[in-house]
Amino acid sequence: MDDSEFHRLKRLPPYVFAEVNAMKARARGAGQDVIDLGMGNPDLPTAPHIVAKLAEAAANPRAHGYSASRGIPGLRKAQAAYYARRFGVELDPETEVIVTLGSKEGLANLAQAITSPGDTVLVPNPSYPIHPYGFIIAGGSVRHIPVPGSTSIEEFLPALERAVRHAVPKPLALVLNYPSNPTAQVVDLDFYGAIVDFCKREGIWILSDLAYAEIYFDGVPPPSVLQVPGARDIAIEFTSMSKTYSMAGWRMGFAAGNKTLIQALTRIKSYLDYGAFTPIQVAATAALNGPQDCIAEARNTYKERRDVLIEGLKGAGWDLPAPSASMFAWAPLPKEFAELGSLAFSKLLLTQANVAVSPGIGFGEHGDAHVRIALVENKHRIRQAVRNIRTVMADPGRAIDLYLRGVGDNITPIKARA
């Protein structure tokens, strides 16, 4: 027997990223210097004052017991204060804020709380995997809204209307994620206003993932859906400290907004966990309430890396749009390699250039014409990656031939198998 016998696991497709990760591990095991621009794992250190507060709190034995599942009061107040100063949104920390173990856990557990078998949820495609699969695991069905390139409300709203019109049963919720992972798309407050109006008319919940709220490069801070008047009647928003404060491994996030959804998440989490380790919550409180210089420094670092990557690849013959937010570049496959599809092209870059990227098909079928490149290496390493990729771009035919011969006769490009 294997895990394919289990009902919920049967509903999940093979994990596309596992193929690239396995190849990456084999290459490193063979002594290859792989430049990993695949996983969005921040490489910047957490600010010293946050680490110091963790150490101070951890030294207190009274903090070693069970914590509060919905978060310690001081941390919920700090998150409410963040929304007030950043978005001008006043939240009640008792009823409109809950602490989660990262935004991913919060969204997945909310899906468990509100989804009945057969419920339909609307999710943009491509999207971060937990957005559709959190609901699939919970027994729901997903209707995809194709948004492979740049989007605007003029493009998105008709697609949303079509999805609702043809969905049976009527959709339960709509998932939004801007700035987007993987596409780096951004939207303005007018976009959210139109979506809120539509979803209120249709009786659809809005679940917004705002994990990249503070990673932006054009001087225009991304808005929150909760800034729209009346949004809290139907909307909940997930944020995270992973990217904002380089605290990915700390697993600290939040949900804020609609009281009914917050209560549902609070109730199900009360059965599942006792909350994050109290000293981590204390340190997170210090991060939100303390000096914010570390956010600006991280933002500048990602911007510098973005510029090195975009300019370098353009010089190598791979022209891709510069993202205005997030820590990713959403790169269309070079035309010489387009027929390979994103998975084969990712493998080609790994074998021919020692550069790991994420295949776009891992984020949905509408992502297969792209790869996601994460800004998680320093500028020196990114320049090295560009030099390696330049050798591939200089002779596409040879690179494709070497790749196909290297992977064996039984493997063909993904487009050819479709």
Side-chain angles (χ1 to χ4, degrees):
M1 296 180 66
D2 58 39
D3 63 13
S4 65
E5 297 298 313
F6 300 124
H7 167 69
R8 294 193 189 280
L9 296 184
K10 284 181 180 179
R11 302 197 69 203
L12 298 176
Y15 192 58
V16 171
F17 304 117
E19 293 190 46
V20 178
N21 290 340
M23 290 182 67
K24 181 170 61 181
R26 288 196 298 270
R28 283 179 166 162
Q32 307 246 0
D33 179 23
V34 176
I35 303 171
D36 193 352
L37 306 179
M39 185 177 178
N41 189 8
D43 64 315
L44 303 178
T46 308
H49 72 279
I50 302 173
V51 178
K53 179 57 71 173
L54 171 68
E56 176 188 324
N60 183 354
R62 290 180 297 177
H64 296 175
Y66 291 127
S67 191
S69 178
R70 66 190 184 117
I72 61 175
L75 181 53
R76 285 184 280 112
K77 290 177 182 177
Q79 178 67 355
Y82 163 75
Y83 261 85
R85 68 176 180 264
R86 172 68 165 78
F87 302 112
V89 174
E90 299 291 337
L91 295 169
D92 180 355
E94 289 299 314
T95 61
E96 295 180 310
V97 178
I98 183 174
V99 178
T100 62
L101 306 179
S103 58
K104 184 175 181 178
E105 174 271 324
L107 195 143
N109 276 326
L110 181 62
Q112 295 287 340
I114 68 174
T115 307
S116 299
D119 277 347
T120 300
V121 176
L122 305 167
V123 181
N125 185 327
S127 66
Y128 186 58
I130 195 61
H131 296 156
Y133 294 121
F135 290 93
I136 289 173
I137 292 169
S141 299
V142 171
R143 187 170 187 90
H144 294 284
I145 303 171
V147 285
S150 61
T151 190
S152 66
I153 193 60
E154 290 78 18
E155 297 170 343
F156 190 93
L157 193 55
L160 175 59
E161 291 171 341
R162 284 193 300 273
V164 172
R165 185 165 59 249
H166 297 294
V168 179
K170 179 182 177 180
L172 169 73
L174 166 67
V175 179
L176 297 176
N177 173 214
Y178 300 106
S180 170
N181 176 10
T183 69
Q185 296 166 340
V186 295
V187 297
D188 57 21
L189 201 54
D190 289 341
F191 178 97
Y192 283 135
I195 298 299
V196 168
D197 288 346
F198 176 83
C199 288
K200 289 184 83 166
R201 289 196 306 271
E202 297 291 335
I204 297 171
W205 297 110
I206 295 175
L207 317 180
S208 170
D209 183 347
L210 193 60
Y212 296 90
E214 303 304 335
I215 310 299
Y216 57 91
F217 311 124
D218 58 5
V220 180
S224 160
V225 70
L226 300 182
Q227 291 176 256
V228 176
R232 276 181 284 177
D233 294 341
I234 59 167
I236 189 172
E237 190 159 68
F238 294 89
T239 54
S240 168
M241 304 191 78
S242 296
K243 278 71 179 183
T244 302
Y245 294 96
S246 299
M247 295 170 63
W250 300 52
R251 307 315 303 134
M252 184 56 55
F254 305 90
N258 180 267
K259 293 180 180 180
T260 300
L261 294 179
I262 293 293
Q263 178 57 34
L265 181 54
T266 301
R267 186 174 179 188
I268 200 163
K269 278 177 62 64
S270 70
Y271 286 93
L272 297 174
D273 69 70
Y274 287 106
F277 185 39
T278 297
I280 292 178
Q281 297 195 51
V282 172
T285 305
L288 286 166
N289 292 339
Q292 303 297 298
D293 310 45
C294 56
I295 299 177
E297 291 170 3
R299 188 183 300 134
N300 290 335
T301 296
Y302 288 126
K303 183 179 186 298
E304 291 174 356
R305 293 176 179 183
R306 178 202 68 169
D307 294 344
V308 168
L309 176 73
I310 300 300
E311 292 168 12
L313 290 180
K314 184 177 181 179
W318 188 3
D319 202 359
L320 56 145
S324 59
S326 85
M327 54 191 292
F328 306 109
W330 187 236
L333 302 187
K335 62 181 184 297
E336 299 88 349
F337 300 91
E339 287 304 312
L340 288 175
S342 62
L343 180 57
F345 181 65
S346 297
K347 292 178 178 180
L348 183 149
L349 285 184
L350 185 56
T351 57
Q352 304 298 313
N354 281 346
V355 175
V357 299
S358 293
I361 198 169
F363 303 98
E365 65 270 25
H366 291 285
D368 196 27
H370 293 74
V371 293
R372 191 194 71 176
I373 306 175
L375 305 173
V376 292
E377 291 272 11
N378 61 45
K379 290 184 290 184
H380 170 74
R381 294 283 284 171
I382 291 175
R383 289 190 184 99
Q384 181 62 53
V386 169
R387 286 193 293 270
N388 293 1
I389 292 171
R390 183 179 288 117
T391 63
V392 169
M393 297 294 296
D395 194 345
R398 179 175 181 274
I400 292 173
D401 181 62
L402 287 173
Y403 164 72
L404 292 177
R405 286 195 282 119
V407 298
D409 293 336
N410 61 326
I411 297 180
T412 56
I414 207 164
K415 291 277 189 179
R417 296 201 305 267

